[in-house]
């Protein structure tokens, strides 16, 4: 029988996860299929219990369900997803267990380009869901995480929760950005600034960047955001956002199946779907 995987969310019709996972499933010759399911916040509990009862191989959660999952009494989150406050991957092998692979996706994408970030100074723009996953994950591998968020209080709250689990992290306002970037190794944009259709926006401009810096933008629509174009012109190394999507999916796939899927195949499927 064909094994079923899927992504639950609302809206979910534009998710790139089905093409990405189905490309991996085909490449591995598996008898399985990954589908998108429109599931509301109120319906999440029933949908997960149903998926478990029907023997699904695993599901991803997207907007607006990642935080909601932690409110369900029957779902057991691992320590990382509990810290982040969001679950993006659910496995049904041994109860109904929650994971968050967004941070590890960002970590792998970045480390592919620049090697280990242990001991490196990482300026992280943002304090929303994506930034939370990245802050916890990067701090867990020994990076020094410098959070810079428009709403400083939100950044401070994130820094407090990451440092409560032992992370080396501090929060700042936009006024400190120039100084922080002068001595940083890595800049990560984990805000939506620069995303289609407002593609002319950037928080950091080229004059604030230096050639030794690695600049990673998690926005993948467009692939080369204004921030990355300016970073390239300033001589910095750039990392585009699609590999975070690919690696968070690959890690979920590994949790469900025990097999690391072919990330190059998944990347090609994502780029084709984006028309790149
Ligand atoms: P996500 O879950 O995708 O990370 P989110 O929780 O809405 O989305 O968070 C969006 C992040 O982008 C926040 O850090 C937000 O800053 P605030 O906390 O100050 O709202 C940031 N952001 C969004 N638009 C921004 C803008 N125009 N300028 C600066 N930061 C922006």
């Amino acid at each position: 029988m064909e094994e079923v995987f899927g992504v639950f969310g609302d809206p979910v019709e534009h998710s790139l996860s089905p093409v990405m996972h189905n490309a991996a499933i085909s490449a591995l010759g598996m008898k399985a299929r990954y589908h998108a399911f429109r599931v509301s916040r109120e319906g999440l509990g029933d949908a997960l219990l149903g998926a478990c009862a029907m023997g699904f191989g695993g599901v991803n959660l997207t907007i607006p369900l990642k935080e909601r999952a932690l409110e369900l009494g029957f779902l057991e989150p691992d320590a990382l997803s509990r810290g982040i406050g969001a679950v993006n991957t659910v496995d049904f092998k041994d109860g109904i267990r929650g994971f968050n692979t967004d941070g590890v996706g960002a970590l792998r994408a970045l480390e592919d380009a620049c090697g280990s970030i242990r001991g490196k100074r990482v300026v992280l723009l943002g304090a929303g869901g994506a930034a939370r996953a990245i802050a916890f994950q990067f701090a867990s591998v020994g990076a020094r995480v410098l959070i810079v968020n428009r709403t400083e209080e939100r950044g401070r709250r994130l820094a407090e929760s990451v440092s409560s689990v032992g992370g080396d992290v501090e929060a700042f306002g936009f006024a400190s950005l120039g100084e922080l970037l002068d001595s940083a190794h890595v800049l990560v944009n984990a805000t939506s600034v620069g995303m289609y259709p407002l593609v002319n926006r950037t928080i950091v401009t080229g004059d604030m960047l230096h050639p030794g810096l690695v600049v990673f933008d998690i926005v993948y629509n467009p692939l080369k955001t204004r921030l990355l174009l300016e970073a390239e012109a300033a001589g910095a190394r750039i990392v585009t956002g699609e590999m975070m999507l690919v690696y968070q999916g690959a890690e979920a796939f590994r949790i469900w199946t025990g097999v690391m899927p072919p990330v190059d195949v998944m990347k090609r499927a994502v780029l084709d779907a984006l028309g790149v």
Side-chain angles (χ1 to χ4, degrees), residues 11-134:
V12 76
E13 57 272 26
H14 298 300
S15 170
L16 294 172
S17 292
V19 289
M20 179 170 80
H21 283 280
N22 284 323
I25 285 167
S26 299
L28 291 168
M30 286 168 63
K31 224 174 144 197
R33 196 77 193 153
Y34 185 109
H35 300 276
F37 298 89
R38 190 160 162 214
V39 174
S40 67
R41 281 178 56 84
E42 298 69 39
L44 179 62
D46 288 345
L48 285 175
L49 290 171
C52 182
M54 288 186 283
F56 274 34
V59 300
N60 286 125
L61 303 181
T62 187
I63 291 169
L65 307 177
K66 292 183 184 187
E67 289 85 10
R68 167 78 184 135
L70 287 162
E71 296 166 11
L72 302 170
F74 58 79
L75 183 137
E76 298 169 55
D78 72 346
L80 181 64
S81 60
R82 191 182 300 120
I84 293 167
V87 165
N88 81 328
T89 299
V90 181
D91 185 58
F92 302 108
K93 273 192 294 299
D94 182 18
I96 299 183
R97 291 184 303 144
F99 302 87
N100 191 310
T101 67
D102 288 331
V104 84
L107 182 68
R108 296 238 166 93
L110 183 60
E111 290 194 338
D112 262 2
C114 72
S116 168
I117 59 165
R118 171 177 292 275
K120 298 274 171 67
R121 291 170 64 85
V122 178
V123 172
L124 176 62
L125 295 174
R132 285 189 68 83
I134 291 172

Side-chain angles (χ1 to χ4, degrees), residues 151-215:
T151 311
E152 284 189 49
E153 177 51 29
R154 195 176 183 198
R156 262 198 303 277
R157 279 203 305 274
L158 173 55
E160 273 163 26
S161 48
V162 177
S163 66
S164 76
V165 293
D168 182 4
V169 60
E170 235 181 298
F172 301 85
F174 278 2
S176 310
L177 254 177
E179 202 179 322
L180 290 172
L181 286 169
D182 284 345
S183 58
H185 301 103
V186 177
L187 167 66
V188 181
N189 175 47
T191 74
S192 49
V193 176
M195 191 188 288
Y196 179 85
L198 302 175
V199 297
N200 259 328
R201 298 232 173 125
T202 182
I203 295 170
V204 170
T205 46
D207 54 304
M208 301 163 83
L209 304 171
H210 59 85
L213 201 62
V214 177
V215 181

Side-chain angles (χ1 to χ4, degrees), residues 2 47 97 149 227 257-258:
E2 199 172 69
R97 291 184 303 144
N149 196 48
L227 170 64
T257 64

